Amino acid sequence: MNENQSIDTHTTLSHHIQPGEISVESINKTLTKVEKPPQDFSCQDLSNHDCNRSDLAGALFNGSDLSYAKLNGANLQNAQLCGANLTEAKLCGAQLPGAKLNGASLGRANLTGADLTGADLRCANLSYAKLSDANFSNANVQGARFFSSIGLGKDAKLNLKNRGAIFNHSAYPPDVRWWIQFFIVPISVALLGSGSLFAVNANRQCDNPEQQLLPTQMSPSSISAPVEKP
C-alpha cells in the first residue's frame, strides 16, 4: 500500500514538472505573486540625490530629506512620503498616483506634468511650486497650501479650492510687494498730503497777518485784560 502510494506520488510530481508543460509566462506570474518588502528610506538625508527615472514604487520616504533631489520621470506610485522635505525637488513627469504626501513640503518643487491621481496631499505645502499640466484627479488636497503656485488655470484652482485647498495668504505674513502697495505707498501719500496742507496754511497766515485766531488756537498767554482808554 505504501509502496503503491509512493509510486503514485512520484508519478504525480513528475507529471507536474514536465518541461513541455511549463511556460515562461506561468513562471513570471508565479514570481509576481511573491510580495517583496518595500524599500525603506525613511528619515534619511537624500538631498541632491539623482533618482531620475528610478523605480521607487511603494518605497518608504516618511520624514526623509529629499530637498533638491532629482526625481524626474521616477515611478513613485503608492510611495509613502509623509512629512518628507521635497523643497525645490525636480519631479517633472513623476508618477505619483496613490502616493502618501500628507504634511510633505513641496515648496518651489517642479511638478510639471506629474501624475498625482488619488494622491494624499492633506496639509502639504506646495507654495511657489510649478504645477503646469500636473494631474490632481481624485487627490485629497484638504488643507494643502498652494500659495503663489505657478501653472494652474482658473478652473483648476477653483476645483482644488472647492476640495479644500488653500490659495490665500491670510494665515501668513504678506510679502514685500504687499507692504509696498498697501502700506508704504498710502502712508507716503498721506504724509505728503498733510505736508502740503501745512504749507498752504502757513502761506495763508503770512499773507493775512491780521487774521484773527480761532478760539481753539488761542493760548492763555495771548489772552489779556482789555486796556482802558484814558
Side-chain angles (χ1 to χ4, degrees):
M1 184 68 115
N2 292 336
E3 188 174 330
N4 292 335
Q5 186 176 1
S6 62
I7 292 171
D8 293 340
T9 304
H10 175 74
T11 304
T12 304
L13 289 172
S14 62
H15 175 73
H16 281 290
I17 62 173
Q18 288 181 6
E21 295 185 1
I22 298 176
S23 65
V24 176
E25 184 180 355
S26 63
I27 294 173
N28 290 336
K29 286 182 178 179
T30 304
L31 291 175
T32 53
K33 291 180 181 179
V34 179
E35 295 184 1
K36 297 179 180 179
Q39 304 176 75
D40 194 348
F41 304 102
S42 298
C43 300
Q44 294 189 25
D45 184 0
L46 301 168
S47 55
N48 292 294
H49 270 56
D50 189 345
C51 301
N52 287 332
R53 293 174 292 280
S54 297
D55 186 4
L56 298 165
L60 308 179
F61 293 96
N62 298 320
S64 296
D65 184 3
L66 288 157
S67 55
Y68 304 96
K70 300 176 181 66
L71 293 157
N72 298 314
N75 180 12
L76 290 158
Q77 183 175 2
N78 297 320
Q80 295 187 25
L81 297 120
C82 302
N85 181 10
L86 289 150
T87 303
E88 296 199 38
K90 307 294 188 297
L91 289 150
C92 298
Q95 300 301 306
L96 290 149
K100 304 293 183 183
L101 288 152
N102 44 306
S105 177
L106 291 150
R108 301 185 186 276
N110 192 342
L111 287 153
T112 302
D115 185 5
L116 292 143
T117 304
D120 187 352
L121 289 158
R122 287 174 296 171
C123 299
N125 181 13
L126 292 99
S127 300
Y128 299 95
K130 297 178 181 178
L131 305 172
S132 300
D133 299 321
N135 186 358
F136 290 95
S137 300
N138 300 319
N140 190 340
V141 294
Q142 187 69 38
R145 302 186 295 278
F146 287 80
F147 303 155
S148 301
S149 56
I150 302 168
L152 290 175
K154 291 183 179 179
D155 293 338
K157 287 183 179 180
L158 181 60
N159 180 274
L160 291 169
K161 190 173 182 179
N162 290 337
R163 287 154 56 189
I166 305 171
F167 283 89
N168 61 56
H169 293 71
S170 60
Y172 288 82
D175 57 15
V176 175
R177 288 177 297 178
W178 187 94
W179 278 98
I180 293 174
Q181 183 178 356
F182 297 105
F183 186 79
I184 296 176
V185 172
I187 291 295
S188 300
V189 171
L191 290 174
L192 291 172
S194 62
S196 61
L197 290 174
F198 177 78
V200 170
N201 290 332
N203 291 333
R204 286 180 178 176
Q205 289 181 3
C206 291
D207 294 338
N208 301 297
E210 296 181 356
Q211 185 179 6
Q212 290 184 347
L213 293 174
L214 295 174
T216 56
Q217 295 174 317
M218 299 172 112
S219 62
S221 60
S222 64
I223 303 174
S224 59
V227 178
E228 294 182 1
K229 294 182 180 180

